[in-house]
Amino acid sequence: MQVKSREHAVTFDRWDWVLAGGVFVAGLALYIRTLAPSVLLGDSAEFQTLAYTLGMAHNTGYAVYLLLGKVLTLLPIGEVAWRVNLLSASAAAVTLAEVYLVARLVSGRRAYGVVAALALGVNYLFWWQAIIAEVYTPAAAFAMGVLLLVILWDRTRRGGLLIAAGVVGGLAFGVHALVGLIAPAIVIYLLAAKANRRDWLRAAGGAITGLLGAAAAYLLIDSRNSQASIIHTFRAHANAFGLERADFDSALTRISFIITARQWSDQILNSSPARMVEGATQYLGATLETFSLLVAGLMLVGVLYLLIRRPRREGVLLLLAWLGMFLYLTNYHVGDIQVFYVPNYAILSVFLAAGLAGIEDVIRSAVERLTPRPDGGRWILVLAQGGLVLMVLLSLGSQRENLITSVQRGRITFLKQQDAGWPYPVNDPYAPRLRARRLASMIEAPDALVLLPWDRLYPFCYVAHVEEGKTGTTCVEIMPYGTHGVTRSLREALQEALDVRPVYLGNELGELRGEFSFRRVPGPEELYRLERR
């Protein structure tokens, strides 16, 4: 593929595809080698369960992600949980290949594209999210896919690339809403690139097609009415969100509640300037820690290089795409905010390649002025390129030890103490499954209503639904975020359930003592059978 810009031509030849494929294979091999082997905790366990049962996940639903996970659950290797983890590894490897290709376009150098992919691939946050069932590496793959397709369209003016970019962007709505924040950058880019009417129609048509595909995914998963779906939690606690249980009889209410993230509305875009500064400081600290000071400095050089020294529309596109995500990240305040940085870091890695190219250009200009012989100047540039690459590799020295020890042991060895237990207890990777099996053994009824805290809920649901086939077991979080005590709707749900099936709770709720009694179930885990007084 001949890819041209108005300033120079870059050719995607066989070697580029070979290198992109090599980056993909190397990344996939690394992540499979260190992939979490079994069911996890929290959101990851939820995704592992619901990709198999096709039930709606917590806000914002992630319907397309779950369907992709469902495809991988059909593989005849490993346990189901491992196969869903494999989706993150595959998406991470795709992201690395896309980073190489975009970096190759904006820097003009294959070596810098490989370095950019390497720096991202061994990044602490990126690697961690590549080996567990999560949505952030798939989100990065979709985001970088859209940016790559749009840049290729600008350089080739092949209309099919715009259609493809629109479809990928539309489908991304069902992977993670964070990807949608690059849409304004795409619109500005098309305006700057003087897209004609047909181009706009192609982009819009592709986006509408992708959005319709995402909507179909939500409708399909909602229609399954899986008893593991998070909807049963929201129905039981409906009053906490200003709704009634009957409101969730409507598919429109169920899906809109999930997509609009009503449960987390008080955490989204609800910041003072001081909190935004706090969020930006946290982002900067994580970036410096998980890359390096040198790499972060080269990223800044890359931004300036693309925007000032060699002005390109691609620089504006990438910067605005990064900025759209960044502004959201400084306005969203949750405990695990750092994992949201992963798609944003993919763009930063392209800036790294651009920064290396910018420094090389400065060296080239100096050589051309000082060296009259072309042959001498060429060798100086070759040495300069090698030196720049080596400089970055040396700055990643701490990751080198992580790489060696993790590959040797078959699991990641770099998680901090506060991260090593959630959602992946890396030092005891089978603990969630073993505990969930003990809990499941205490519940004999295949149609029980089970209310558990978030850390225990979906490992149990995985064992019940996936391993034991008890698809009639209804899973409900006992006190989800956004609730403050026992609501009328929860009391009604429990009274109604007791008429037809047993109800179990993972801990006693004092507010229910006037209406119910709690009988401790004999066994190795804390579990109570709910009974009327």
Side-chain angles (χ1 to χ4, degrees):
M1 177 187 291
Q2 184 73 21
V3 183
K4 298 180 179 179
S5 75
R6 288 161 180 77
E7 297 175 356
H8 70 287
V10 171
T11 302
F12 275 172
D13 60 15
R14 180 184 64 178
W15 287 109
D16 283 306
W17 300 118
V18 167
L19 283 172
V23 165
F24 170 83
V25 171
L28 185 61
L30 173 62
Y31 302 139
I32 288 179
R33 173 60 180 163
T34 55
L35 199 64
S38 188
V39 67
L40 301 165
L41 297 167
D43 295 2
S44 292
E46 179 194 20
F47 291 139
Q48 290 169 323
T49 304
L50 298 179
Y52 183 83
T53 67
L54 290 184
M56 196 73 75
H58 68 278
N59 315 102
T60 56
Y62 316 105
V64 173
Y65 165 84
L66 292 176
L67 288 179
L68 292 173
K70 180 64 175 180
V71 172
L72 290 189
T73 65
L74 303 177
L75 293 174
I77 53 174
E79 62 177 272
V80 169
W82 183 90
R83 299 172 204 169
V84 182
N85 294 340
L86 183 60
L87 175 56
S88 292
S90 302
V94 168
T95 303
L96 297 183
E98 292 168 338
V99 164
Y100 166 78
L101 292 171
V102 175
R104 166 77 167 116
L105 288 176
V106 302
S107 72
R109 293 288 181 268
R110 294 189 180 97
Y112 300 157
V114 172
V115 168
L118 173 63
L120 178 64
V122 299
N123 176 273
Y124 169 102
L125 286 174
F126 189 86
W127 190 349
W128 178 25
Q129 295 302 299
I131 63 168
I132 61 176
E134 259 297 356
V135 295
Y136 301 104
T137 58
F142 274 77
M144 291 307 300
V146 172
L147 294 172
L148 174 61
L149 289 166
V150 170
I151 293 173
L152 287 176
W153 161 79
D154 189 20
R155 295 196 178 194
T156 64
R157 296 294 164 153
R158 295 180 181 177
L161 294 170
L162 266 187
I163 297 174
V167 171
V168 173
L171 287 172
F173 185 77
V175 176
H176 199 287
L178 193 64
V179 183
L181 298 176
I182 71 174
I186 300 294
V187 172
I188 293 172
Y189 186 71
L190 294 180
L191 289 171
K194 296 181 171 57
N196 59 36
R197 183 173 179 272
R198 177 176 290 185
D199 293 328
W200 284 103
L201 289 174
R202 286 168 173 160
I208 291 171
T209 301
L211 286 170
L212 289 174
Y218 278 97
L219 289 170
L220 172 62
I221 289 178
D222 178 75
S223 70
R224 300 273 299 184
N225 193 31
S226 167
Q227 294 303 299
S229 172
I230 197 71
I231 289 297
H232 297 290
T233 289
F234 295 135
R235 185 191 296 271
H237 296 280
N239 294 161
F241 307 104
L243 298 170
E244 297 293 333
R245 287 192 302 143
D247 293 332
F248 285 93
D249 293 338
S250 164
L252 179 61
T253 298
R254 292 191 297 267
I255 295 175
S256 64
F257 182 92
I258 290 290
I259 289 177
T260 58
R262 189 162 176 173
Q263 183 188 17
W264 297 94
S265 58
D266 63 330
Q267 297 295 319
I268 301 174
L269 300 179
N270 186 25
S271 290
S272 64
R275 293 201 72 183
M276 289 182 65
V277 171
E278 178 185 344
T281 302
Q282 185 176 0
Y283 175 91
L284 178 60
T287 303
L288 293 175
E289 180 182 6
T290 60
F291 285 105
S292 70
L293 181 60
L294 173 65
V295 168
L298 287 170
M299 290 170 176
L300 179 58
V301 171
V303 173
L304 298 175
Y305 170 69
L306 291 178
L307 297 181
I308 300 174
R309 182 169 177 79
R310 294 178 63 183
R312 287 192 192 146
R313 288 194 292 269
E314 288 97 326
V316 175
L317 169 66
L318 294 169
L319 180 59
L320 291 179
W322 174 86
L323 186 61
M325 293 185 187
F326 174 76
L327 291 176
Y328 174 81
L329 296 172
T330 61
N331 278 278
Y332 188 35
H333 302 283
V334 291
D336 61 346
I337 186 62
Q338 288 192 1
V339 298
F340 285 73
Y341 300 164
V342 168
N344 188 271
Y345 279 2
I347 300 175
L348 282 185
S349 300
V350 176
F351 290 141
L352 168 60
L356 292 170
I359 294 175
E360 182 188 327
D361 268 13
V362 172
I363 296 173
R364 183 189 305 274
S365 298
V367 167
E368 289 174 352
R369 288 195 303 269
L370 300 175
T371 306
R373 293 180 56 190
D375 289 346
R378 185 162 56 249
W379 281 109
I380 292 175
L381 288 176
V382 170
L383 292 173
Q385 292 171 11
L388 289 170
V389 170
L390 181 61
M391 178 177 64
V392 174
L393 295 180
L394 291 175
S395 77
L396 300 175
S398 60
Q399 284 93 327
R400 183 177 64 250
E401 183 178 349
N402 294 334
L403 181 64
I404 294 172
T405 58
S406 295
V407 170
Q408 287 176 340
R409 299 180 187 180
R411 59 178 175 85
I412 54 175
T413 60
F414 51 79
L415 285 182
K416 302 175 186 176
Q417 184 175 357
Q418 65 266 30
D419 296 327
W422 183 276
Y424 176 22
V426 65
N427 295 319
D428 192 2
Y430 292 97
R433 185 183 185 190
L434 293 175
R435 186 182 185 189
R437 282 184 167 181
R438 291 196 299 265
L439 183 61
S441 69
M442 299 167 64
I443 301 174
E444 298 180 357
D447 62 343
L449 170 62
V450 182
L451 294 87
L452 296 169
W454 189 247
D455 62 335
R456 301 168 63 193
L457 179 63
Y458 275 100
F460 162 77
C461 292
Y462 177 87
V463 169
H465 282 254
V466 179
E467 295 189 347
E468 298 182 350
K470 295 179 181 177
T471 57
T473 301
T474 303
C475 302
V476 171
E477 187 179 359
I478 196 167
M479 200 59 62
Y481 181 86
T483 59
H484 306 283
V486 175
T487 60
R488 172 174 50 83
S489 59
L490 179 58
R491 287 187 169 90
E492 293 173 351
L494 296 175
Q495 290 282 7
E496 183 180 294
L498 283 173
D499 290 335
V500 293
R501 56 178 170 165
V503 177
Y504 296 87
L505 285 83
N507 55 270
E508 297 184 78
L509 294 178
E511 295 176 66
L512 295 176
R513 289 190 179 281
E515 305 166 61
F516 305 95
S517 61
F518 296 84
R519 179 168 59 85
R520 180 71 184 260
V521 180
E525 297 293 329
E526 183 180 13
L527 187 68
Y528 299 89
R529 176 80 178 262
L530 194 70
E531 298 174 345
R532 290 191 179 93
R533 285 194 176 276

